[in-house]
Amino acid sequence: MAEVMGFGTIVGRFRAEEERRDGQLAALPSWLLTTQHEEVAVLVGELYGGRPRGGDQQQGSFEVMLEKDEIAVNVDGPRSVVNRLVLGERHSPTDVCDGSIFLDPMDNAGHPCGCPESVFARKAAARSGRGPKPDTRLEFRLAAAPDAGLFGLLSSSWAFFESLSAAVGAIESADDKARMEIRLQRRIATTRSGMAVSYVHPAFSIAEREVTASGDLQLAA
């Protein structure tokens, strides 16, 4: 059975991070497709290259690690995007905002939420449990195979939240011919001990492709 993500029936989900045993999120080295449809796993693997990973074929679950970082997609307007900050559990948040005003609960909707303006301060508040974290969801079709069905992307990355926020206006005015893209973006940093670290996060754009670099250690941004 296909998943449902609020807007329509989802035949597969793209993932850029996963939860570790300690409850922390870790970035994946490449896109991970999860689906309950073997034909979807085969098609996406053929389109972007990939190898099977885990899953439970007897239970109808398939996982494919993809080889391509950039994937062209079609997004059906702003109704296919959920881009918000949540305080509490994702499935039962106590407060929901967009970084400027409350969206939920309804008694507070439209009122200033009090979130700091800087991303640095927002991240610090979220780490301490005092501030909300991103809950970003995107629904799309593959530009290379639009008839394959709807796919979903769920992320708690601050960078993905920012890239979607910046693209909302373009999504509203885009037509079917606009080139949109999800991608894994990588940034190299050097720790005090001299170790090279590659920070990986999903990004969305309706712009020219960005060249990314690779690294040995992936961390969620």
Side-chain angles (χ1 to χ4, degrees):
M1 183 180 296
E3 299 174 85
V4 176
M5 197 192 74
F7 308 111
T9 301
I10 302 298
V11 300
R13 191 181 297 278
F14 283 73
R15 300 181 185 274
E17 67 249 14
E18 63 183 354
E19 188 172 334
R20 302 183 307 202
R21 290 183 179 179
D22 60 5
Q24 298 296 313
L25 289 175
L28 292 165
S30 62
W31 285 115
L32 173 65
L33 170 76
T34 61
T35 179
Q36 295 179 332
H37 304 277
E38 183 175 10
E39 64 274 17
V40 172
V42 171
L43 173 64
V44 175
E46 290 176 347
L47 287 174
Y48 309 112
R51 55 182 176 80
R53 193 205 79 158
D56 188 339
Q57 296 187 14
Q58 291 184 343
Q59 297 296 322
S61 173
F62 303 89
E63 296 183 352
V64 183
M65 297 295 296
L66 304 181
E67 297 175 356
K68 192 173 180 61
D69 277 357
E70 304 89 5
I71 298 175
V73 301
N74 298 328
V75 178
D76 188 18
R79 71 188 183 91
S80 298
V81 177
V82 168
N83 203 33
R84 61 185 191 169
L85 300 175
V86 300
L87 184 63
E89 296 298 324
R90 174 178 287 167
H91 299 295
S92 57
T94 56
D95 289 302
V96 179
C97 70
D98 64 2
S100 298
I101 61 173
F102 281 111
L103 304 176
D104 200 55
M106 293 306 296
D107 289 346
N108 293 333
H111 295 288
C113 59
C115 286
E117 290 188 8
S118 76
V119 176
F120 179 82
R122 289 183 182 183
K123 289 182 179 180
R127 282 194 297 268
S128 69
R130 296 179 293 104
K133 299 178 181 179
D135 177 24
T136 302
R137 310 170 191 215
L138 179 68
E139 187 180 272
F140 55 87
R141 295 182 184 273
L142 302 175
D147 294 333
L150 292 168
F151 291 81
L153 170 56
L154 174 67
S155 176
S156 60
S157 163
W158 286 95
F160 194 55
F161 172 82
E162 294 166 23
S163 67
L164 266 183
S165 296
V168 166
I171 293 173
E172 291 176 348
S173 60
D175 57 28
D176 293 337
K177 297 180 181 179
R179 187 180 68 81
M180 298 170 243
E181 183 178 83
I182 57 170
R183 67 186 184 281
L184 288 182
Q185 191 161 310
R186 307 173 192 273
R187 175 172 60 85
I188 302 298
T190 303
T191 65
R192 292 182 179 179
S193 62
M195 186 167 101
V197 177
S198 175
Y199 290 89
V200 182
H201 61 80
F204 175 83
S205 67
I206 312 180
E208 293 185 358
R209 212 171 273 179
E210 293 185 15
V211 178
T212 59
S214 61
D216 297 327
L217 179 63
Q218 282 84 32
L219 300 177

